[in-house]
Each structure stands twice: as structure tokens, then as C-alpha cells.
Amino acid sequence: MKDKIEFIAFDADDTLWESELYIQEFEHKFCNLLRQYLPASSISQSFFETEMKNLHMYGYGLKSIMLSMTETICKVTDGNGSIHLIEKVIGWGQELLQKPVILLEGVKETISSLHGKYKLVLATKGDLFDQKRKIGASGLQEYFHHIEIMSDKKIDDYRRLIETLDCLPEKLLMIGNSVKSDILPVLELGGYAAHVPYNMTWAYEQHEGEIRHPNFIQLDSIKEILDKL
């Protein structure tokens, strides 16, 4: 493999820096905010259903979450909830949109080691402004040959990325924490993909089942990729 790879692409959220931890804390506070109307588990389920319904319109990211939370408030309270509830969601969301970026263990060491040996790519999805902010605050921007903020991470999205890079699929290695978004589409296109597990996964991104593919690499930590190349 190491003789074939020219481009190494990295997912961002929960691969390079913390993200889902903060999102789940946000959702926990949101469910607690509405506890007078329904149990937390029911609020969480209603919110998730609203998120899924809106995903094709709002895309991914914190602003999408805030809009879906606002809609969930209207639904759960039958439109009679206090404006204070929406103000709380906006305030918490804005705090998250300004939160410092915390790199995960081994990320800086790994990327600096690979820089200059391969063309490094950042391939992330989410809100354009928020992702740009996090990339800038991460201190990693200078290492990347190309940065792509994708509207989604399906096969056609990766196909467009590969065309942009002018790269053959078999010369690309994608590294990420989501099997559904970072691994399976790249393998289907004929590329290589390395899964770096994170200790929590958004329900939408969860994947069951073992991956059997010659181009798949399972890692315990991001630093392990250095020994695989």
C-alpha cells in the first residue's frame, strides 16, 4: 500500500479534534430544558427525528442542530413554549460556535510526520463558516495541500473530491472515525480507508457489521498509521 498512496485525506471532527462530546453535552442540556414536557428519552427521539427530516435542507453542523432544536421546541410544547427556551438554545449554540479547538491525542505528531511525504488533504463536512473557523484555530491548516468542506460524504462527493485532486482512487487513503461517511464510500471507489475509532458516535453515523475489504485498515489510534505506511 505505502508504494501506491500519494494523497492522505483526513476527516476533521472527532478524527483531528473534539466535536461529538460537545454536541452530546448540548443535546443533554436541551433535553433537560424540556423535562417539564416529556422525559429526556422522548425529547431526544423527537429531536433526532426532526434532525433526520431536515438534513436534506439544512445539512450538517451546529446551525442545523439549533434549527432542529427550535422546531422540536415548537412541536413538544404545541407552540406554547416560552421564548426563553429558544433563547437558551441560541445562547448554548453560539457558545459552541466559539469554542476553542482541542486536538485529539497524536494528531499533531502524525500530521507533521506525514507532511512532505504525502499530499495531505482535509475532507470534512458541516457548516462552512464553523468548519473554516475550526480549521483556522486548529493550527493545522499549513500542513494541507487541499481543504474540502463537503456538503455530504457519499460516493459522488468523494468522486468529485478525487477529480478535484486529479488523483486515481487507488492513490488515496482516507482516515476518519465514521465507518459510514469516511470508510465505506472510499472503499467502494477503490481507495484505501483507515478507521480511527472515537469513543462516541452520532446515531446517524453508526454502522453495524464487520468490514471485509483488502483496502481497509483498522487503527486503535491515529498514530498507528505511521507504522502502516
Side-chain angles (χ1 to χ4, degrees):
M1 179 190 74
K2 63 182 179 181
D3 298 326
K4 295 181 180 179
I5 299 300
E6 291 183 10
F7 292 83
I8 299 179
F10 293 86
D11 170 54
D13 293 337
D14 302 316
T15 298
L16 301 184
W17 53 69
E18 294 278 10
S19 177
E20 184 63 21
L21 172 65
Y22 306 136
I23 299 299
Q24 292 202 12
E25 288 174 351
F26 187 14
E27 184 176 339
H28 177 74
K29 289 194 291 186
F30 173 70
C31 292
N32 192 48
L33 182 69
L34 297 176
R35 66 189 182 279
Q36 70 187 88
Y37 297 97
L38 284 173
S41 59
S42 299
I43 298 293
S44 181
Q45 180 62 32
S46 180
F47 168 58
F48 182 70
E49 290 170 359
T50 303
E51 268 193 303
M52 295 302 98
K53 175 180 71 70
N54 292 336
L55 206 53
H56 74 285
M57 294 186 291
Y58 301 156
Y60 302 88
L62 268 172
K63 294 174 189 173
S64 172
I65 289 171
M66 292 162 68
L67 284 168
S68 290
M69 283 182 172
T70 301
E71 184 177 339
T72 303
I73 289 171
C74 295
K75 182 164 61 175
V76 167
T77 66
D78 291 324
N80 296 314
S82 166
I83 192 68
H84 166 73
L85 300 174
I86 295 175
E87 288 174 343
K88 276 288 189 183
V89 166
I90 292 171
W92 290 333
Q94 288 178 343
E95 285 179 18
L96 272 184
L97 287 165
Q98 301 171 72
K99 198 169 186 70
V101 173
I102 300 176
L103 297 182
L104 294 170
E105 185 180 354
V107 164
K108 187 69 178 286
E109 172 192 340
T110 301
I111 287 184
S112 60
S113 295
L114 294 172
H115 183 245
K117 300 173 185 174
Y118 302 90
K119 293 177 180 177
L120 304 185
V121 176
L122 184 61
T124 182
K125 68 182 179 186
D127 178 77
L128 180 64
F129 287 169
D130 190 32
Q131 293 300 81
K132 279 186 172 182
R133 177 193 70 82
K134 288 191 283 189
I135 293 165
S138 71
L140 300 175
Q141 190 165 353
E142 63 183 290
Y143 292 102
F144 292 109
H145 166 77
H146 178 77
I147 293 174
E148 188 86 11
I149 301 174
M150 306 158 79
S151 58
D152 209 336
K153 280 184 164 181
K154 296 180 179 175
I155 290 175
D156 285 344
D157 302 289
Y158 281 106
R159 189 176 284 117
R160 284 190 290 271
L161 173 62
I162 288 169
E163 289 173 358
T164 298
L165 296 174
D166 192 21
C167 165
L168 293 173
E170 59 267 27
K171 294 185 179 295
L172 173 71
L173 166 64
M174 178 71 192
I175 301 174
N177 70 292
S178 170
V179 170
K180 183 176 178 179
S181 292
D182 301 320
I183 307 302
L184 297 180
V186 175
L187 293 177
E188 189 158 341
L189 286 171
Y192 289 85
H195 179 238
V196 185
Y198 184 70
N199 59 10
M200 56 184 70
T201 304
W202 181 28
Y204 175 76
E205 297 287 0
Q206 290 176 4
H207 172 81
E208 299 293 335
E210 188 178 353
I211 302 172
R212 295 183 179 276
H213 195 287
N215 292 3
F216 174 67
I217 306 161
Q218 181 62 58
L219 304 174
D220 290 325
S221 71
I222 198 167
K223 290 187 291 186
E224 284 188 2
I225 196 62
L226 299 176
D227 297 325
K228 303 287 185 180
L229 292 168

